[in-house]
Amino acid sequence: MKRIILLAAITMFSVATTNAQAKKAIKKADTATKSETPKVDGVGMVFENETIDYGTIAHNADGKREFVFVNNGSKPLTIESTQGSCGCTVPSKPEAAIAPGAKGVIGVKYATDRVGAFTKTITVKSNATGQETKVLTIKGTVLPDAPAEGAATVKS
């Protein structure tokens, strides 16, 4: 009985120690992320990713994705416009100004009814100091529909 109690106590202590270490690691990661974003005097804009790779997706799959950015400046950031490189790429922008230190999102919807490989761009115009125009990229491949089971094939 004493061995069972001792084993249970050791297990509880191990779990508590592991949780404490995990929390410290998360705090360090958060601190590192915050310190990696350089500060700008004026209006700044830093994207988490400037390219979104859809990978290989099914025909008519959900084509919505998001570019996340942060205003790393000391003044509010205004996204003036977003423009896709063709009609198959429809971006959306935040309507309100993004406060210094706050995050924002540029949404994009690709028309996945078009089969094949694609690479498209989104041009973002803002009041960011020295970076008034930013070009983002989406890419991937849309697969064709699989033939229906039991479908007859036509030979010419």
Side-chain angles (χ1 to χ4, degrees), residues 133-147:
T133 301
K134 185 73 172 172
V135 178
L136 306 171
T137 304
I138 61 170
K139 63 182 181 176
T141 303
V142 178
L143 296 174
D145 289 332

Side-chain angles (χ1 to χ4, degrees), residues 12 36 46 56-57 80 87 89 120 156:
M12 296 288 275
E36 288 176 13
V46 176
T56 303
I57 58 174
E80 296 164 8
T89 307
K120 304 295 179 185
S156 325

Side-chain angles (χ1 to χ4, degrees), residues 24-37:
K24 284 182 183 178
I26 290 171
K27 260 189 178 176
K28 279 185 179 180
D30 286 348
T31 303
T33 301
K34 289 178 184 174
S35 63
E36 288 176 13
T37 306

